[in-house]
Structures are given as structure tokens and as C-alpha cells.
Amino acid sequence: MIHGGDGGSDIARTLVDRGVVKSFDAFYQILLETTPEPVFQPGAYQLKTNMVASTALDALLDEGTRLSQTVVVPEGTATVDVLQSISEGTEIPLAELQATAASVAGFGLPAEATTLEGFLFPATYTFSPGDTAQIVLQAMVNRQFEALDSAGVAVGDRWRTIVFASLIQREAGLRDDYYKVSRVFLNRLEPARWDSGLLQSDATVAYGTGNTHLVTTTDAERGDAGNLYNTYVHPGMVVGPISNPGDLAIDAALHPADGPWLFFVTVNLDTGETVFSTTVAEHDAAVGVWQNWMREHPEYG
């Protein structure tokens, strides 16, 4: 998906994340060198993977690659951004989607749910012209229910599973790390291992501030008790979903890895390499590696 307002760096990062191109720098450099400046239309595009940067740019500017009535929802996307993608990929006005999403009673969600967050399954959807906001959103909700059923989640456990899976989805990187991240948070919920009971997830804090694209926070944000999603202040599991999780995160929530880890930090945002630690000293050393990497890659700052 290309969204309204996306700049060249946003598009380059999306292409790397989706495997269309391998190098952020190569694609971004071509953008800077192209005159006149390329203009991209919001919507869903169908591209090959492992493309040469120049070929990928040509494909994005080819109207034939833009898909009609198609919406791509990546894993971990927050509902506010899903609604934006639906609006850009279909003919449904954003205001209509927002109003429909606000009336959660008709979607069959667990009683605890006050929004659709967590229950819009991440996938590629193609809708028919004339489909209403209710039809589109219900299709995504139904698809999430199918995923939960396939994973063996009882109807009464849907809320608890989705809340935890949404946290894992936002915090984990590489596939195998999902199960380790799951274990870290469960270990932090055990008083014998972690007496504060605080999950201390930056992703939850960021979500509570409205920064749905971030997993980094400031000291002031981490100290804000008024943010109900602030797991640096409020102990126990986060109060609600912080993203829309996919099959892998759901499976990790149900089948955590065995291990003593209490900390983790992604030390390379390009490769997703994450270090899991048991002691504060081990974790501090890993954080140092991450900080050095960030200094060398200011585009991620």
C-alpha cells in the first residue's frame, strides 16, 4: 500500500519491508535523482519481489500495477491505519469507515472490546464495488475469528489471546523471536521472576500516545500514568490490543518458547537481529550495541 502523504523514505521503507527491493538507499537515491519528482497515487500495488530499484520505480508509476478495490493490511497495523488503507484502496469515504468502526456492538466481538483493534485480520482483501463499510469491516473481523478458531482458541479466550498476540506482533521481529518475546512477557508476569509486574513495553506506551508506527518512547511518555496503555506504570497485561495480529503472533501467544529471558532488544533494524538476556548486565550490553547501530543509521532515528 502507498498511503496519502507518504514521502520517498516511507515508500522506500515499505518496498524493503515487503521484499520488493533489497536496498533502501538504492531506491531512495533513484527517487532523488528523478526529475520531475515522481507522483504516486495512494492505493494497493502488485509488484514482484527482488526487483531492481529502477524497475520497481517504473512499476509504481505504471497505472497497470495499481489494484482496484484491493486493500493490503500488514501484520501489526493499528486499526486507525487499517481504516485509512481501506479508504485509499476502495471507494468508501474514511469518515464512513470511522463511524461504522465506532459502533462495535454489531460485529460479534468479545464483551471487553470497545474498538475493532486486534480483530481486523492482516491480509490482502479484494472487495466488490458498492461494498459498504459494514461489509468490508465484518469480512476482516470474520477472518480474524477464523484464524482464532484454526489456532484452537475458544470463543471465551478470544479477548485474552488477541490482547497478548497484538503485543507480541508489535514487539517481535524475526519469526523465531515471536515465541521468545512471548516468553519474556510471561516471565515478567511471574512475581517470582519479576516482582514489579510491569511489562515495560515501549510499543504499548507509544500506542497510548497515538503513535501507532513507533516502538520507541521518551522518558516523559514512560512516566505518564494517565496513559492506560503505559506498561511502565500499570502492572499486568496491557489493557487492550495495540495492533491487529496475524497467525504467527497468535501461535506465539499460545505456544511460548521455554527460557529464562527477561529482556530483549533488536540490535539491527535492517536484519531484525534481536538479543535476549536474563540479567540487567547482559541487557545493558545489548542496548549499547543497538545504540551504536542507531548512530550509524540516522535514517531510523
Side-chain angles (χ1 to χ4, degrees), residues 149-250:
D149 291 344
S150 296
V153 177
V155 172
D157 292 332
R158 283 176 173 175
W159 175 255
R160 177 180 58 82
T161 303
I162 283 294
V163 171
F164 190 23
S166 76
L167 171 61
I168 296 167
Q169 186 73 71
R170 289 294 290 145
E171 288 280 12
L174 301 177
R175 181 180 185 87
D176 290 345
D177 290 344
Y178 279 65
Y179 300 89
K180 292 182 178 180
V181 167
S182 178
R183 175 52 63 191
V184 168
F185 287 126
L186 290 175
N187 285 346
R188 289 189 175 189
L189 292 175
E190 289 188 26
R193 292 176 178 266
W194 190 259
D195 57 10
S196 72
L198 297 170
L199 294 184
Q200 296 183 338
S201 161
D202 288 86
T204 66
V205 178
Y207 180 84
T209 68
N211 293 320
T212 57
H213 301 96
L214 299 179
V215 291
T216 56
T217 56
T218 66
D219 289 341
E221 288 169 343
R222 290 190 296 274
D224 180 13
N227 179 351
L228 297 181
Y229 289 84
N230 186 351
T231 53
Y232 280 85
V233 175
H234 303 292
M237 184 54 65
V238 62
V239 295
I242 63 169
S243 74
N244 290 286
D247 288 321
L248 178 59
I250 291 171

Side-chain angles (χ1 to χ4, degrees), residues 16 21 27 50 87 123 129 139 151 198 209 211 245 252 273:
V16 172
V21 299
F27 184 84
N50 299 316
S87 178
L198 297 170
T209 68
N211 293 320
E273 179 188 355

